[in-house]
Amino acid sequence: MHHITFGNTAFDTAVLIKEAGLQETHLKKHYQETLNELGYDTSGLIAFSLTYDKKKPSAACRKEYLGELLPEIEKLGINYLICADGEYFKTLTGSKTAEPHIGYVLPCTIKDYEHLFVSYVVNYQTYFVAPDKPAKSKRALEALVKHSQDEYEVLGADVLRDVSYPDTY
C-alpha cells in the first residue's frame, strides 16, 4: 500500500487512485489545488494507491484490498474518501454504476465503515482524452466541500418546488 501525504499528520481526507496515478505533482494540480480553490483545508489530505489484479480489479481483489486499507483509514481518523476509480467506488458505496454519481457524496456501505463518506471523481489521467472530465471532477469536489460544511444538498432535490396534480379531466 503506497501513499503520499500533502500536509501534517492529522488526516481527514483520502484520495484513492490506482498506483499508476499516484503521482504527487498531478494529484496536487488536479485535486489538492481544486479543493484549496473551493476553500477546503487540504493540510489533512493523503493519497493511497489501489491494487489491481488485472486491467480491471476483480471483486475479490477489491474486497481483499479494502479489508486492509479501511482499517488504516480508520486509524488515521479519515472521514472523506475521494475515489478516482469507478470499480472501487461501486464496492465502497454498493452502487451499480459510478459515473452517474459524480456530484454526490454517498455513505460507505461496507460494514463497520458506514461513517465514511465517498465522492467519486474522474481519474485525472483521463483528462487528456476527454476535455469534459475536469469539470465533472470539480463538481464532485464541490459536493464534498459542501458536505463537509453541512451545506450539501442532493442534486435535483429542489427541482420540484410547487407541484399540483389535476384530479379531474
Side-chain angles (χ1 to χ4, degrees):
M1 167 182 337
H2 297 99
H3 69 278
I4 297 172
T5 59
F6 296 91
N8 58 27
T9 56
F11 302 106
D12 59 6
T13 308
V15 176
L16 308 179
I17 193 164
K18 63 181 171 181
E19 195 160 345
L22 193 68
Q23 297 179 20
E24 187 171 3
T25 54
H26 293 295
L27 292 171
K28 278 184 177 182
K29 178 181 176 185
H30 298 292
Y31 302 128
Q32 184 185 25
E33 288 177 10
T34 303
L35 286 167
N36 285 333
E37 289 170 13
L38 296 169
Y40 191 78
D41 179 16
T42 58
S43 64
L45 187 64
I46 186 170
F48 289 101
S49 64
L50 296 173
T51 298
Y52 279 58
D53 56 353
K54 44 190 162 185
K55 186 175 180 178
K56 183 176 169 182
S58 66
C61 172
R62 294 189 309 262
K63 287 178 184 177
E64 181 182 334
Y65 185 67
L66 288 173
E68 297 170 13
L69 180 63
L70 290 176
E72 297 304 316
I73 284 173
E74 180 79 16
K75 286 178 193 173
L76 293 171
I78 292 170
N79 298 313
Y80 290 100
L81 303 176
I82 299 169
C83 189
D85 184 276
E87 295 303 314
Y88 274 93
F89 174 81
K90 292 189 283 187
T91 303
L92 285 164
T93 62
S95 301
K96 292 187 184 340
T97 57
E99 190 83 15
H101 292 98
I102 291 177
Y104 293 88
V105 178
L106 302 178
C108 181
T109 57
I110 297 175
K111 188 177 183 304
D112 299 327
Y113 300 101
E114 293 89 353
H115 62 283
L116 297 174
F117 293 99
V118 187
S119 182
Y120 174 66
V121 296
V122 180
N123 188 318
Y124 73 83
Q125 293 171 309
T126 64
Y127 291 3
F128 306 110
V129 277
D132 65 324
K133 301 294 184 182
K136 288 182 177 185
S137 284
K138 184 171 183 177
R139 188 172 67 216
L141 295 174
E142 285 172 347
L144 181 126
V145 170
K146 287 185 179 195
H147 191 279
S148 72
Q149 298 169 343
D150 292 328
E151 297 174 7
Y152 175 72
E153 281 189 34
V154 176
L155 287 175
D158 62 346
V159 171
L160 301 176
R161 293 187 189 115
D162 185 22
V163 180
S164 60
Y165 299 98
D167 55 359
T168 62
Y169 291 107

PDB file of all heavy atoms in Angstrom, residues 134-163:
ATOM      1  N   PRO A 134     -12.443  17.260 -16.370  1.00  0.00           N
ATOM      2  CA  PRO A 134     -12.066  18.124 -15.245  1.00  0.00           C
ATOM      3  C   PRO A 134     -13.265  18.827 -14.609  1.00  0.00           C
ATOM      4  O   PRO A 134     -13.332  18.975 -13.389  1.00  0.00           O
ATOM      5  CB  PRO A 134     -11.091  19.124 -15.860  1.00  0.00           C
ATOM      6  CG  PRO A 134     -10.533  18.433 -17.053  1.00  0.00           C
ATOM      7  CD  PRO A 134     -11.649  17.574 -17.563  1.00  0.00           C
ATOM      8  N   ALA A 135     -14.218  19.253 -15.415  1.00  0.00           N
ATOM      9  CA  ALA A 135     -15.413  19.923 -14.880  1.00  0.00           C
ATOM     10  C   ALA A 135     -16.237  18.953 -14.028  1.00  0.00           C
ATOM     11  O   ALA A 135     -16.789  19.342 -12.995  1.00  0.00           O
ATOM     12  CB  ALA A 135     -16.261  20.479 -16.013  1.00  0.00           C
ATOM     13  N   LYS A 136     -16.301  17.703 -14.451  1.00  0.00           N
ATOM     14  CA  LYS A 136     -17.026  16.704 -13.673  1.00  0.00           C
ATOM     15  C   LYS A 136     -16.346  16.461 -12.327  1.00  0.00           C
ATOM     16  O   LYS A 136     -17.001  16.350 -11.296  1.00  0.00           O
ATOM     17  CB  LYS A 136     -17.138  15.392 -14.451  1.00  0.00           C
ATOM     18  CG  LYS A 136     -18.092  15.466 -15.621  1.00  0.00           C
ATOM     19  CD  LYS A 136     -18.205  14.138 -16.320  1.00  0.00           C
ATOM     20  CE  LYS A 136     -19.218  14.201 -17.440  1.00  0.00           C
ATOM     21  NZ  LYS A 136     -19.432  12.895 -18.056  1.00  0.00           N
ATOM     22  N   SER A 137     -15.034  16.369 -12.342  1.00  0.00           N
ATOM     23  CA  SER A 137     -14.299  16.173 -11.094  1.00  0.00           C
ATOM     24  C   SER A 137     -14.474  17.365 -10.170  1.00  0.00           C
ATOM     25  O   SER A 137     -14.628  17.207  -8.960  1.00  0.00           O
ATOM     26  CB  SER A 137     -12.820  15.917 -11.360  1.00  0.00           C
ATOM     27  OG  SER A 137     -12.634  14.607 -11.825  1.00  0.00           O
ATOM     28  N   LYS A 138     -14.469  18.563 -10.742  1.00  0.00           N
ATOM     29  CA  LYS A 138     -14.648  19.754  -9.905  1.00  0.00           C
ATOM     30  C   LYS A 138     -16.025  19.733  -9.256  1.00  0.00           C
ATOM     31  O   LYS A 138     -16.170  20.091  -8.083  1.00  0.00           O
ATOM     32  CB  LYS A 138     -14.456  21.025 -10.731  1.00  0.00           C
ATOM     33  CG  LYS A 138     -14.530  22.274  -9.873  1.00  0.00           C
ATOM     34  CD  LYS A 138     -14.143  23.515 -10.622  1.00  0.00           C
ATOM     35  CE  LYS A 138     -14.169  24.700  -9.656  1.00  0.00           C
ATOM     36  NZ  LYS A 138     -13.744  25.912 -10.320  1.00  0.00           N
ATOM     37  N   ARG A 139     -17.034  19.311  -9.997  1.00  0.00           N
ATOM     38  CA  ARG A 139     -18.391  19.210  -9.433  1.00  0.00           C
ATOM     39  C   ARG A 139     -18.421  18.229  -8.270  1.00  0.00           C
ATOM     40  O   ARG A 139     -19.044  18.481  -7.246  1.00  0.00           O
ATOM     41  CB  ARG A 139     -19.380  18.797 -10.525  1.00  0.00           C
ATOM     42  CG  ARG A 139     -20.823  18.852 -10.065  1.00  0.00           C
ATOM     43  CD  ARG A 139     -21.794  18.640 -11.193  1.00  0.00           C
ATOM     44  NE  ARG A 139     -21.674  17.285 -11.686  1.00  0.00           N
ATOM     45  CZ  ARG A 139     -21.795  16.934 -12.949  1.00  0.00           C
ATOM     46  NH1 ARG A 139     -22.007  17.837 -13.874  1.00  0.00           N
ATOM     47  NH2 ARG A 139     -21.701  15.675 -13.315  1.00  0.00           N
ATOM     48  N   ALA A 140     -17.709  17.124  -8.399  1.00  0.00           N
ATOM     49  CA  ALA A 140     -17.649  16.137  -7.316  1.00  0.00           C
ATOM     50  C   ALA A 140     -16.929  16.703  -6.099  1.00  0.00           C
ATOM     51  O   ALA A 140     -17.355  16.485  -4.953  1.00  0.00           O
ATOM     52  CB  ALA A 140     -16.952  14.872  -7.807  1.00  0.00           C
ATOM     53  N   LEU A 141     -15.850  17.425  -6.329  1.00  0.00           N
ATOM     54  CA  LEU A 141     -15.102  18.026  -5.219  1.00  0.00           C
ATOM     55  C   LEU A 141     -15.913  19.133  -4.549  1.00  0.00           C
ATOM     56  O   LEU A 141     -15.858  19.299  -3.327  1.00  0.00           O
ATOM     57  CB  LEU A 141     -13.751  18.530  -5.702  1.00  0.00           C
ATOM     58  CG  LEU A 141     -12.786  17.441  -6.192  1.00  0.00           C
ATOM     59  CD1 LEU A 141     -11.531  18.051  -6.785  1.00  0.00           C
ATOM     60  CD2 LEU A 141     -12.450  16.456  -5.086  1.00  0.00           C
ATOM     61  N   GLU A 142     -16.696  19.890  -5.331  1.00  0.00           N
ATOM     62  CA  GLU A 142     -17.574  20.909  -4.751  1.00  0.00           C
ATOM     63  C   GLU A 142     -18.598  20.267  -3.820  1.00  0.00           C
ATOM     64  O   GLU A 142     -18.878  20.789  -2.744  1.00  0.00           O
ATOM     65  CB  GLU A 142     -18.311  21.673  -5.857  1.00  0.00           C
ATOM     66  CG  GLU A 142     -17.461  22.657  -6.604  1.00  0.00           C
ATOM     67  CD  GLU A 142     -18.162  23.250  -7.819  1.00  0.00           C
ATOM     68  OE1 GLU A 142     -19.228  22.736  -8.247  1.00  0.00           O
ATOM     69  OE2 GLU A 142     -17.632  24.233  -8.365  1.00  0.00           O
ATOM     70  N   ALA A 143     -19.144  19.126  -4.226  1.00  0.00           N
ATOM     71  CA  ALA A 143     -20.116  18.419  -3.383  1.00  0.00           C
ATOM     72  C   ALA A 143     -19.472  17.976  -2.078  1.00  0.00           C
ATOM     73  O   ALA A 143     -20.065  18.104  -1.001  1.00  0.00           O
ATOM     74  CB  ALA A 143     -20.687  17.216  -4.131  1.00  0.00           C
ATOM     75  N   LEU A 144     -18.255  17.479  -2.152  1.00  0.00           N
ATOM     76  CA  LEU A 144     -17.547  17.053  -0.952  1.00  0.00           C
ATOM     77  C   LEU A 144     -17.307  18.226  -0.006  1.00  0.00           C
ATOM     78  O   LEU A 144     -17.516  18.121   1.202  1.00  0.00           O
ATOM     79  CB  LEU A 144     -16.217  16.399  -1.322  1.00  0.00           C
ATOM     80  CG  LEU A 144     -15.407  15.892  -0.145  1.00  0.00           C
ATOM     81  CD1 LEU A 144     -15.059  14.436  -0.340  1.00  0.00           C
ATOM     82  CD2 LEU A 144     -14.153  16.708   0.025  1.00  0.00           C
ATOM     83  N   VAL A 145     -16.894  19.367  -0.550  1.00  0.00           N
ATOM     84  CA  VAL A 145     -16.647  20.554   0.268  1.00  0.00           C
ATOM     85  C   VAL A 145     -17.949  20.998   0.935  1.00  0.00           C
ATOM     86  O   VAL A 145     -17.980  21.275   2.139  1.00  0.00           O
ATOM     87  CB  VAL A 145     -16.028  21.692  -0.573  1.00  0.00           C
ATOM     88  CG1 VAL A 145     -15.992  22.991   0.198  1.00  0.00           C
ATOM     89  CG2 VAL A 145     -14.638  21.296  -1.037  1.00  0.00           C
ATOM     90  N   LYS A 146     -19.030  21.056   0.173  1.00  0.00           N
ATOM     91  CA  LYS A 146     -20.317  21.454   0.748  1.00  0.00           C
ATOM     92  C   LYS A 146     -20.769  20.470   1.819  1.00  0.00           C
ATOM     93  O   LYS A 146     -21.322  20.870   2.843  1.00  0.00           O
ATOM     94  CB  LYS A 146     -21.366  21.594  -0.348  1.00  0.00           C
ATOM     95  CG  LYS A 146     -21.156  22.826  -1.187  1.00  0.00           C
ATOM     96  CD  LYS A 146     -22.257  23.023  -2.186  1.00  0.00           C
ATOM     97  CE  LYS A 146     -21.979  24.293  -2.966  1.00  0.00           C
ATOM     98  NZ  LYS A 146     -23.117  24.761  -3.692  1.00  0.00           N
ATOM     99  N   HIS A 147     -20.545  19.190   1.594  1.00  0.00           N
ATOM    100  CA  HIS A 147     -20.914  18.182   2.584  1.00  0.00           C
ATOM    101  C   HIS A 147     -20.134  18.398   3.874  1.00  0.00           C
ATOM    102  O   HIS A 147     -20.684  18.306   4.975  1.00  0.00           O
ATOM    103  CB  HIS A 147     -20.676  16.777   2.034  1.00  0.00           C
ATOM    104  CG  HIS A 147     -21.261  15.693   2.864  1.00  0.00           C
ATOM    105  ND1 HIS A 147     -20.648  15.208   3.999  1.00  0.00           N
ATOM    106  CD2 HIS A 147     -22.423  15.014   2.737  1.00  0.00           C
ATOM    107  CE1 HIS A 147     -21.389  14.270   4.528  1.00  0.00           C
ATOM    108  NE2 HIS A 147     -22.478  14.131   3.785  1.00  0.00           N
ATOM    109  N   SER A 148     -18.864  18.693   3.758  1.00  0.00           N
ATOM    110  CA  SER A 148     -18.028  18.900   4.945  1.00  0.00           C
ATOM    111  C   SER A 148     -18.421  20.167   5.705  1.00  0.00           C
ATOM    112  O   SER A 148     -18.143  20.296   6.890  1.00  0.00           O
ATOM    113  CB  SER A 148     -16.549  18.964   4.556  1.00  0.00           C
ATOM    114  OG  SER A 148     -16.259  20.176   3.897  1.00  0.00           O
ATOM    115  N   GLN A 149     -19.078  21.101   5.022  1.00  0.00           N
ATOM    116  CA  GLN A 149     -19.514  22.351   5.642  1.00  0.00           C
ATOM    117  C   GLN A 149     -20.996  22.319   6.011  1.00  0.00           C
ATOM    118  O   GLN A 149     -21.585  23.355   6.304  1.00  0.00           O
ATOM    119  CB  GLN A 149     -19.235  23.524   4.691  1.00  0.00           C
ATOM    120  CG  GLN A 149     -17.773  23.705   4.372  1.00  0.00           C
ATOM    121  CD  GLN A 149     -17.523  24.692   3.238  1.00  0.00           C
ATOM    122  OE1 GLN A 149     -18.415  25.026   2.457  1.00  0.00           O
ATOM    123  NE2 GLN A 149     -16.287  25.150   3.126  1.00  0.00           N
ATOM    124  N   ASP A 150     -21.608  21.140   5.936  1.00  0.00           N
ATOM    125  CA  ASP A 150     -23.046  20.958   6.219  1.00  0.00           C
ATOM    126  C   ASP A 150     -23.934  21.825   5.329  1.00  0.00           C
ATOM    127  O   ASP A 150     -24.996  22.273   5.751  1.00  0.00           O
ATOM    128  CB  ASP A 150     -23.354  21.221   7.698  1.00  0.00           C
ATOM    129  CG  ASP A 150     -22.751  20.171   8.606  1.00  0.00           C
ATOM    130  OD1 ASP A 150     -22.654  19.003   8.180  1.00  0.00           O
ATOM    131  OD2 ASP A 150     -22.371  20.522   9.738  1.00  0.00           O
ATOM    132  N   GLU A 151     -23.508  22.054   4.100  1.00  0.00           N
ATOM    133  CA  GLU A 151     -24.295  22.818   3.134  1.00  0.00           C
ATOM    134  C   GLU A 151     -24.696  21.962   1.938  1.00  0.00           C
ATOM    135  O   GLU A 151     -25.183  22.473   0.932  1.00  0.00           O
ATOM    136  CB  GLU A 151     -23.481  24.022   2.629  1.00  0.00           C
ATOM    137  CG  GLU A 151     -23.124  25.011   3.699  1.00  0.00           C
ATOM    138  CD  GLU A 151     -22.193  26.112   3.188  1.00  0.00           C
ATOM    139  OE1 GLU A 151     -21.941  26.167   1.970  1.00  0.00           O
ATOM    140  OE2 GLU A 151     -21.720  26.902   4.017  1.00  0.00           O
ATOM    141  N   TYR A 152     -24.513  20.666   2.051  1.00  0.00           N
ATOM    142  CA  TYR A 152     -24.730  19.754   0.927  1.00  0.00           C
ATOM    143  C   TYR A 152     -26.208  19.514   0.694  1.00  0.00           C
ATOM    144  O   TYR A 152     -26.964  19.262   1.629  1.00  0.00           O
ATOM    145  CB  TYR A 152     -24.018  18.430   1.216  1.00  0.00           C
ATOM    146  CG  TYR A 152     -24.253  17.342   0.206  1.00  0.00           C
ATOM    147  CD1 TYR A 152     -23.691  17.408  -1.055  1.00  0.00           C
ATOM    148  CD2 TYR A 152     -25.033  16.233   0.508  1.00  0.00           C
ATOM    149  CE1 TYR A 152     -23.878  16.412  -1.988  1.00  0.00           C
ATOM    150  CE2 TYR A 152     -25.233  15.224  -0.406  1.00  0.00           C
ATOM    151  CZ  TYR A 152     -24.655  15.313  -1.653  1.00  0.00           C
ATOM    152  OH  TYR A 152     -24.851  14.326  -2.572  1.00  0.00           O
ATOM    153  N   GLU A 153     -26.637  19.624  -0.553  1.00  0.00           N
ATOM    154  CA  GLU A 153     -27.974  19.249  -0.971  1.00  0.00           C
ATOM    155  C   GLU A 153     -27.833  18.261  -2.111  1.00  0.00           C
ATOM    156  O   GLU A 153     -27.044  18.476  -3.028  1.00  0.00           O
ATOM    157  CB  GLU A 153     -28.756  20.459  -1.465  1.00  0.00           C
ATOM    158  CG  GLU A 153     -29.325  21.314  -0.367  1.00  0.00           C
ATOM    159  CD  GLU A 153     -30.267  22.375  -0.921  1.00  0.00           C
ATOM    160  OE1 GLU A 153     -30.968  22.111  -1.923  1.00  0.00           O
ATOM    161  OE2 GLU A 153     -30.283  23.464  -0.348  1.00  0.00           O
ATOM    162  N   VAL A 154     -28.608  17.208  -2.059  1.00  0.00           N
ATOM    163  CA  VAL A 154     -28.563  16.207  -3.116  1.00  0.00           C
ATOM    164  C   VAL A 154     -28.991  16.864  -4.425  1.00  0.00           C
ATOM    165  O   VAL A 154     -29.984  17.606  -4.469  1.00  0.00           O
ATOM    166  CB  VAL A 154     -29.490  15.021  -2.771  1.00  0.00           C
ATOM    167  CG1 VAL A 154     -29.534  14.020  -3.913  1.00  0.00           C
ATOM    168  CG2 VAL A 154     -29.029  14.358  -1.494  1.00  0.00           C
ATOM    169  N   LEU A 155     -28.224  16.627  -5.484  1.00  0.00           N
ATOM    170  CA  LEU A 155     -28.552  17.195  -6.793  1.00  0.00           C
ATOM    171  C   LEU A 155     -29.973  16.820  -7.191  1.00  0.00           C
ATOM    172  O   LEU A 155     -30.372  15.659  -7.097  1.00  0.00           O
ATOM    173  CB  LEU A 155     -27.588  16.672  -7.858  1.00  0.00           C
ATOM    174  CG  LEU A 155     -26.177  17.211  -7.823  1.00  0.00           C
ATOM    175  CD1 LEU A 155     -25.327  16.502  -8.867  1.00  0.00           C
ATOM    176  CD2 LEU A 155     -26.147  18.687  -8.059  1.00  0.00           C
ATOM    177  N   GLY A 156     -30.746  17.823  -7.602  1.00  0.00           N
ATOM    178  CA  GLY A 156     -32.107  17.573  -8.044  1.00  0.00           C
ATOM    179  C   GLY A 156     -33.137  17.525  -6.928  1.00  0.00           C
ATOM    180  O   GLY A 156     -34.327  17.388  -7.187  1.00  0.00           O
ATOM    181  N   ALA A 157     -32.719  17.660  -5.678  1.00  0.00           N
ATOM    182  CA  ALA A 157     -33.665  17.581  -4.567  1.00  0.00           C
ATOM    183  C   ALA A 157     -34.644  18.744  -4.576  1.00  0.00           C
ATOM    184  O   ALA A 157     -35.756  18.624  -4.083  1.00  0.00           O
ATOM    185  CB  ALA A 157     -32.916  17.534  -3.242  1.00  0.00           C
ATOM    186  N   ASP A 158     -34.255  19.872  -5.150  1.00  0.00           N
ATOM    187  CA  ASP A 158     -35.126  21.045  -5.138  1.00  0.00           C
ATOM    188  C   ASP A 158     -35.710  21.352  -6.521  1.00  0.00           C
ATOM    189  O   ASP A 158     -36.157  22.461  -6.772  1.00  0.00           O
ATOM    190  CB  ASP A 158     -34.347  22.253  -4.626  1.00  0.00           C
ATOM    191  CG  ASP A 158     -33.178  22.612  -5.525  1.00  0.00           C
ATOM    192  OD1 ASP A 158     -32.811  21.787  -6.390  1.00  0.00           O
ATOM    193  OD2 ASP A 158     -32.624  23.712  -5.364  1.00  0.00           O
ATOM    194  N   VAL A 159     -35.766  20.359  -7.391  1.00  0.00           N
ATOM    195  CA  VAL A 159     -36.248  20.586  -8.750  1.00  0.00           C
ATOM    196  C   VAL A 159     -37.736  20.933  -8.741  1.00  0.00           C
ATOM    197  O   VAL A 159     -38.174  21.892  -9.359  1.00  0.00           O
ATOM    198  CB  VAL A 159     -35.979  19.369  -9.657  1.00  0.00           C
ATOM    199  CG1 VAL A 159     -36.657  19.514 -10.995  1.00  0.00           C
ATOM    200  CG2 VAL A 159     -34.503  19.183  -9.840  1.00  0.00           C
ATOM    201  N   LEU A 160     -38.530  20.155  -8.032  1.00  0.00           N
ATOM    202  CA  LEU A 160     -39.970  20.403  -7.958  1.00  0.00           C
ATOM    203  C   LEU A 160     -40.266  21.170  -6.676  1.00  0.00           C
ATOM    204  O   LEU A 160     -40.142  20.642  -5.576  1.00  0.00           O
ATOM    205  CB  LEU A 160     -40.739  19.077  -7.976  1.00  0.00           C
ATOM    206  CG  LEU A 160     -40.514  18.203  -9.209  1.00  0.00           C
ATOM    207  CD1 LEU A 160     -41.240  16.890  -9.071  1.00  0.00           C
ATOM    208  CD2 LEU A 160     -40.973  18.914 -10.456  1.00  0.00           C
ATOM    209  N   ARG A 161     -40.662  22.417  -6.832  1.00  0.00           N
ATOM    210  CA  ARG A 161     -40.917  23.240  -5.643  1.00  0.00           C
ATOM    211  C   ARG A 161     -42.405  23.403  -5.371  1.00  0.00           C
ATOM    212  O   ARG A 161     -42.841  23.354  -4.248  1.00  0.00           O
ATOM    213  CB  ARG A 161     -40.274  24.607  -5.826  1.00  0.00           C
ATOM    214  CG  ARG A 161     -38.780  24.514  -5.843  1.00  0.00           C
ATOM    215  CD  ARG A 161     -38.139  25.887  -5.841  1.00  0.00           C
ATOM    216  NE  ARG A 161     -36.716  25.717  -6.062  1.00  0.00           N
ATOM    217  CZ  ARG A 161     -36.071  26.158  -7.123  1.00  0.00           C
ATOM    218  NH1 ARG A 161     -36.689  26.820  -8.051  1.00  0.00           N
ATOM    219  NH2 ARG A 161     -34.775  25.958  -7.249  1.00  0.00           N
ATOM    220  N   ASP A 162     -43.184  23.654  -6.406  1.00  0.00           N
ATOM    221  CA  ASP A 162     -44.620  23.857  -6.260  1.00  0.00           C
ATOM    222  C   ASP A 162     -45.305  22.902  -7.235  1.00  0.00           C
ATOM    223  O   ASP A 162     -45.342  23.161  -8.431  1.00  0.00           O
ATOM    224  CB  ASP A 162     -44.974  25.317  -6.557  1.00  0.00           C
ATOM    225  CG  ASP A 162     -46.428  25.602  -6.294  1.00  0.00           C
ATOM    226  OD1 ASP A 162     -47.061  24.860  -5.528  1.00  0.00           O
ATOM    227  OD2 ASP A 162     -46.947  26.573  -6.894  1.00  0.00           O
ATOM    228  N   VAL A 163     -45.836  21.835  -6.722  1.00  0.00           N
ATOM    229  CA  VAL A 163     -46.407  20.801  -7.570  1.00  0.00           C
ATOM    230  C   VAL A 163     -47.885  20.652  -7.277  1.00  0.00           C
ATOM    231  O   VAL A 163     -48.305  20.597  -6.115  1.00  0.00           O
ATOM    232  CB  VAL A 163     -45.690  19.446  -7.316  1.00  0.00           C
ATOM    233  CG1 VAL A 163     -46.278  18.370  -8.191  1.00  0.00           C
ATOM    234  CG2 VAL A 163     -44.210  19.579  -7.552  1.00  0.00           C
TER     235      VAL A 163
END
